[in-house]
Amino acid sequence: MRILSGIQPSGALHLGNYFGMMRPAIDLQEQGDAYYFIANYHSMTSLFDAEKRRQNVVDVALDFMACGLDPERCVFFKQSDIPEHTELTWMLTTLTPMGLLERCHSYKDKIAKGLSPNHGLFAYPVLMAADILIYDSQVVPVGKDQKQHVEVTRDVAIKFNQTYGDTFVVPEPRIREETAVVPGIDGQKMSKSYENTIELFGAEKPLRKKIMSLVMDSRGMDEPKPDADRNIAVQLLKLVGSTEVASACEERLRAGGYGYGDLKKALFEAYWTYFEPMRQKREELAANMDYVYEVLAKGAQKAREVATVVNQRAKRACGLD
Ligand code: ADP
Ligand code: TRP
């Protein structure tokens, strides 16, 4: 089974990235032939600072490896080391109906949030389709917000196969229902672009402050809360805490007499403990950057071997050889 996923170096990684995509991807590396990459071409649609992009790539590499991505078990690389992604993108663009891209929620959401509607932002799903198709990927682990992009990829692959003959494997998204949409500190989907994230790594004090600032309702402490399962802190606690602690806190809220402050403290403790081993691993990796760069260089070499073959296959199919 060929597995592939990517993550943009557009800011610090957060709990939504971790539970929505990184954890499932790390688990899948045991089950197949996995390719994971840092989508720095994609980050050009919203980040216009070269030095930040460079630094973010390093941070994503450190974060992902600290969390358990194992370069011995998967191919880990940065997108721009494989220029064939962009070459294949062009071949796919001419078979992508405008309407398909116009319907993409992610594009519409980004415009609504004030991002400038540049052509790259609009064409972004075609680059993502190339990323996926160029490795003959079968399974794409992502959070729910990316499902539509994998569907676009399927449509484009099918259209190419119909037009030029069987060329691409048609992939499937893999979404974990329980973590499909991780809520942010304001209750909306946690996202780098909503400024509502809880980062995976960083100094203790500001992170504690962030968690203590989780938005709760105004009901008094003594009031029973029968809807405790919908509380953001409870939902996050179910991800980072033990089942016992999470259900105990939920029950206490239901019963009444348990304050939101104590709940948030329990959440912070669970979160801090959960990422303790990863923090240590990250420090070790950061002290050995040569190794990290070597992982990405070797990953690029392996990825390119596959990408050049599939790119050639596509060029042959459409008469560009
Ligand atoms: P962001 O929305 O913060 O910019 P990305 O678009 O870089 O995050 O997402 C990288 C991966 O993490 C994608 O697979 C995406 O679906 C997943 N992801 C991001 N936020 C969440 C979330 N709140 N819940 C579940 N998955 C998420
Ligand atoms: N678009 C994805 C995101 O913002 C990142 C990405 C780029 C990706 N190419 C991909 C994910 C290919 C999966 C497969 O999260």
Side-chain angles (χ1 to χ4, degrees):
M1 178 171 70
R2 177 64 56 84
I3 304 146
L4 172 126
S5 196
I7 192 156
Q8 290 195 64
S10 49
L13 301 188
H14 53 77
L15 292 179
N17 297 136
Y18 180 80
F19 287 102
M21 180 272 194
M22 296 161 73
R23 188 70 249 159
I26 290 163
D27 293 344
L28 276 170
Q29 67 187 356
E30 313 291 335
Q31 291 173 36
D33 183 18
Y35 284 65
Y36 299 133
F37 70 96
I38 305 172
N40 55 351
Y41 283 141
H42 278 92
S43 71
M44 297 190 74
T45 58
S46 60
L47 176 68
F48 301 92
D49 180 327
E51 197 39 55
K52 255 204 189 124
R53 188 172 355 269
R54 257 182 226 115
Q55 186 54 47
N56 287 351
V57 167
V58 171
D59 285 334
V60 169
L62 287 171
D63 288 2
F64 218 151
M65 286 167 73
C67 288
L69 178 142
D70 180 355
E72 300 293 320
R73 287 167 205 264
C74 70
V75 179
F76 187 40
F77 60 100
K78 74 171 190 289
Q79 190 181 27
S80 61
D81 282 338
I82 322 291
E84 285 78 8
H85 287 225
T86 56
E87 192 177 353
L88 181 60
T89 301
W90 181 255
M91 292 180 240
L92 302 178
T93 51
T94 57
L95 289 175
T96 309
M98 289 292 283
L100 197 62
L101 299 180
E102 275 159 5
R103 283 194 292 279
C104 285
H105 304 299
S106 163
Y107 174 71
K108 289 191 276 193
D109 290 351
K110 285 175 182 168
I111 300 303
K113 265 183 269 150
L115 258 75
S116 96
N118 65 61
H119 174 250
L121 198 65
F122 183 69
Y124 174 116
V126 193
L127 176 59
M128 180 157 161
D131 299 336
I132 297 172
L133 299 179
I134 207 160
Y135 297 102
D136 285 337
S137 314
Q138 294 162 297
V139 170
V140 184
V142 281
K144 198 171 170 189
D145 59 304
Q146 295 297 320
K147 184 171 181 233
Q148 194 182 28
H149 291 159
V150 183
E151 281 159 3
V152 168
T153 305
R154 291 173 57 87
D155 286 354
V156 174
I158 291 168
K159 182 117 181 248
F160 193 103
N161 288 348
Q162 281 169 350
T163 309
Y164 294 118
D166 223 6
T167 308
F168 294 122
V169 173
V170 181
E172 276 179 25
R174 178 76 60 93
I175 293 159
R176 275 196 193 166
E177 269 322 305
E178 65 281 17
T179 53
V181 185
V182 176
I185 55 174
D186 57 358
Q188 287 194 71
K189 176 197 113 114
M190 188 178 290
S191 171
K192 282 166 226 148
S193 30
Y194 294 166
E195 291 182 12
N196 65 353
T197 61
I198 299 172
E199 289 82 19
L200 304 181
F201 301 101
E204 180 172 351
K205 217 171 151 189
L207 282 166
R208 185 191 291 275
K209 206 170 147 197
K210 233 180 191 181
I211 287 185
M212 295 311 288
S213 75
L214 275 174
V215 181
M216 302 276 121
D217 58 51
S218 56
R219 283 177 290 180
M221 174 166 144
D222 291 331
E223 225 177 296
K225 304 184 178 65
D227 55 351
D229 56 326
R230 290 219 300 275
N231 181 292
I232 322 164
V234 169
Q235 286 177 10
L236 294 174
L237 193 52
K238 283 182 181 165
L239 298 174
V240 293
S242 67
T243 324
E244 296 83 64
V245 171
S247 18
C249 290
E250 189 177 340
E251 279 319 306
R252 273 184 220 148
L253 270 190
R254 263 183 220 289
Y258 184 57
Y260 288 140
D262 286 337
L263 171 66
K264 292 184 205 172
K265 272 189 203 143
L267 172 63
F268 178 79
E269 292 312 323
Y271 152 80
W272 199 249
T273 310
Y274 186 100
F275 288 102
E276 174 61 31
M278 284 87 149
R279 270 196 300 279
Q280 274 185 19
K281 181 83 200 280
R282 197 182 192 284
E283 269 178 34
E284 284 164 30
L285 288 164
N288 194 1
M289 283 311 295
D290 286 351
Y291 167 69
V292 176
Y293 292 130
E294 190 188 309
V295 163
L296 292 176
K298 280 196 180 147
Q301 217 176 10
K302 285 196 214 154
R304 198 146 190 214
E305 280 168 23
V306 179
T308 47
V309 171
V310 180
N311 191 48
Q312 273 309 321
R313 192 202 297 151
K315 285 175 86 171
R316 213 176 310 120
C318 53
L320 289 173
D321 53 337

